[in-house]
Amino acid sequence: MELLPMTFAAGFASGLNAYATVFVLGLLGRVLGTGSVPAGFERTDVLILMGVLALVEFVADKVPVVDSVWDLPSTVIRPVAGALIGALIAGAQGDLLTIALAAVGGVTALLTHVSRAGVRLAVNSSPEPVSNLGASLAGDVSMLSVTTLAVLYPVPAAIVAAILLALLLWLAWTLMSRIRRGLLWLRGRLTLSHADG
């Protein structure tokens, strides 16, 4: 019964930062030895690679324009990572449980990522720089908190993730006109940088 809440919470966290989610899961699994974390995440080479990629994403996410450009490949990476995490949590046996948890993880990560990316576009089009940094740090804290909770207390983690996801979806819906402006803003920035290059 713990597998579904843990998968949902990890899928949410993966939608915010897939690399950091795998890193935190692996680190907690190794340190706490809970047995709920897929063993492959605890490997030293995986921890090093995910730690480096998480650090790169952490820095990229703090820079306006760079964060939105980074979100483009992440539209594929984050949901795939969420699905992979779900499949591995289920034991990756190819059975119905594996498929169901992969779907939960992937869809949750996709919804989280799309909402997050939209909100960040709206924030990036704002002229002041503080809101971008604040939104990025809020995502970092949410990812770390939900992932840690998922390992220790899966059901409360899933509840927190569901509340945060609902809030993120509502915020993205509310900011839809600013998201459209953010897309135009990003397109303009990319066109300018391409013309300069």
Side-chain angles (χ1 to χ4, degrees):
M1 189 61 181
E2 290 181 351
L3 300 181
L4 181 59
M6 183 173 179
T7 300
F8 180 79
F12 171 79
S14 179
L16 298 174
N17 184 332
Y19 308 117
T21 299
V22 173
F23 176 76
V24 171
L25 284 172
L27 195 61
L28 289 172
R30 183 179 247 190
V31 171
L32 301 177
T34 62
S36 60
V37 175
F41 293 176
E42 299 175 22
R43 291 179 20 192
T44 302
D45 58 334
V46 172
L47 286 171
I48 291 170
L49 179 62
M50 291 299 113
V52 168
L53 290 171
L55 183 60
V56 169
E57 181 158 340
F58 178 83
V59 172
D61 197 50
K62 306 299 178 275
V63 182
V65 180
V66 173
D67 65 335
S68 291
V69 171
W70 185 271
D71 279 341
L72 294 174
S74 295
T75 302
V76 173
I77 294 167
R78 291 176 182 155
V80 168
L84 180 61
I85 291 168
L88 292 173
I89 287 172
Q93 300 296 321
D95 57 359
L96 185 58
L97 179 63
T98 300
I99 294 166
L101 291 186
V104 167
V107 169
T108 305
L110 179 63
L111 288 172
T112 303
H113 166 72
V114 169
S115 302
R116 175 206 170 280
V119 170
R120 292 302 297 278
L121 268 173
V123 169
N124 280 342
S125 64
S126 169
E128 51 80 32
V130 177
S131 57
N132 182 57
L133 182 61
S136 178
L137 290 173
D140 295 337
V141 169
S142 297
M143 182 283 308
L144 183 60
S145 302
V146 169
T147 304
T148 302
L149 263 177
V151 173
L152 300 173
Y153 308 103
V155 173
I159 293 168
V160 169
I163 292 168
L164 291 174
L165 179 55
L167 181 62
L168 198 54
L169 288 166
W170 173 82
L171 195 55
W173 179 259
T174 303
L175 296 173
M176 193 57 70
S177 65
R178 290 191 68 189
I179 291 169
R180 285 188 198 100
R181 274 192 304 218
L183 281 169
L184 294 172
W185 172 83
L186 180 61
R187 186 177 300 140
R189 299 288 250 179
L190 293 176
T191 303
L192 283 176
S193 67
H194 183 65
D196 293 339

